[in-house]
Amino acid sequence: MSITETTARAKTGKEQASVAAEKAWSMPDWAITTISLLILVGVWQAAAPFIDPLFGSYPSQIFSSFLVMMESGTLARAFWQSIQPFFAGYLLAAAIGVPAGLLLGRYRVAEAALGIYVMAGYATPLIALVPLLMVWFGLGFAVKMVIIFLLAFFPICINTWVGVKAVPRTLVEVGTAFCAPQSRIMRQIVLPATLPYIMAGLRLAIGKAVIAMIIAEFLTAISGLGGIIINAANSFRTAEMFVPIICVMILAVVLDRLVAWLERKVAPWQSEIAGDHA
């Protein structure tokens, strides 16, 4: 056996041993996330003696406030008041945004006629329109739902639009060559190829919708989780103020994971292409 062959086999053996060691010591993502959260909470709690309660709080005090608010029912009522317009606005944005994006991306006339309005709406500071929306829809459920809808609609629509434009033309041409009707091309070629973009838009819209929910509760009738934040901040009850903030963060993360799980179900090939790992 030559020296070159011996060296090559030795390198191969080392690479295989390295891969085996990496697999043996690999840790699932959820465990890494849990450890990261525990470290963050531990460091935050350790800094408690140095935190002025007027300007900040720490995990044990926030948890105590959480228990008090749950026992009194304040947090549950506020969460229910917030979640209703949130889901109504978000689901409406998804129901309208996805078809609108498909039409804009697939049909040149629709893109030329309506695309400019979508981009203008996305670039417009919609928060500046809140006073006008309050005049139109009042201070209750309707105006909150509309604000959430407007902030969530554009990420969904634009991502879908971009996804349709990214579909390889050859795929559409094959469908056309076999005399497939436009509805079938849209359903069996364009939509499956666009699903990853649609799911990305839905995930981005979750963050926008959560922000819109809190802003709507700040600027309209002060209620829900946003109302707790405002009232607690005005009274310098900092620990109580952190409770709804953390609840909103948890809500956004859970919904993001839910959409990611849904993507793996409806577009399993995307995980294989992207090389996702557990």
Side-chain angles (χ1 to χ4, degrees), residues 107-148:
Y107 299 104
R108 181 182 61 85
V109 174
E111 182 180 23
L114 303 176
I116 186 173
Y117 301 116
V118 173
M119 295 308 301
Y122 180 70
T124 301
L126 296 175
I127 303 306
L129 299 178
V130 170
L132 181 61
L133 296 176
M134 291 167 59
V135 173
W136 290 350
F137 299 100
L139 298 175
F141 176 90
V143 69
K144 295 178 183 178
M145 183 190 72
V146 170
I147 293 171
I148 293 167

Side-chain angles (χ1 to χ4, degrees), residues 21-36 277-278:
E22 184 178 349
K23 289 182 177 180
W25 288 98
S26 63
M27 185 180 295
D29 291 351
W30 66 265
I32 298 173
T33 302
T34 302
I35 293 172
S36 174
H277 55 277

Side-chain angles (χ1 to χ4, degrees), residues 202-254:
L202 291 174
R203 295 177 72 173
L204 289 172
I206 289 172
K208 294 287 188 180
V210 169
I211 293 171
M213 177 182 73
I214 298 300
I215 290 175
E217 292 174 341
F218 281 177
L219 301 180
T220 62
I222 297 178
S223 60
L225 297 175
I228 293 179
I229 295 173
I230 287 289
N231 293 328
N234 290 338
S235 303
F236 295 99
R237 301 192 303 272
T238 312
E240 184 178 325
M241 184 185 70
F242 269 100
V243 173
I245 293 174
I246 294 175
C247 288
V248 166
M249 294 168 63
I250 294 173
L251 173 65
V253 171
V254 169

Side-chain angles (χ1 to χ4, degrees), residues 3-80:
I3 296 176
T4 304
E5 291 177 348
T6 304
T7 304
R9 290 190 175 184
K11 288 182 178 179
T12 303
K14 288 181 180 179
E15 290 175 357
Q16 291 176 348
S18 176
V19 171
E22 184 178 349
K23 289 182 177 180
W25 288 98
S26 63
M27 185 180 295
D29 291 351
W30 66 265
I32 298 173
T33 302
T34 302
I35 293 172
S36 174
L37 288 173
L38 290 175
I39 292 173
L40 173 63
V41 173
V43 172
W44 189 3
Q45 182 64 37
F50 308 99
I51 297 175
D52 188 332
L54 287 178
F55 302 104
S57 189
Y58 46 90
S60 60
Q61 187 63 38
I62 295 171
F63 185 69
S64 298
S65 297
F66 168 78
L67 294 178
V68 171
M69 295 170 69
M70 284 298 294
E71 185 177 356
S72 66
T74 303
L75 186 61
R77 286 193 300 270
F79 184 80
W80 180 245

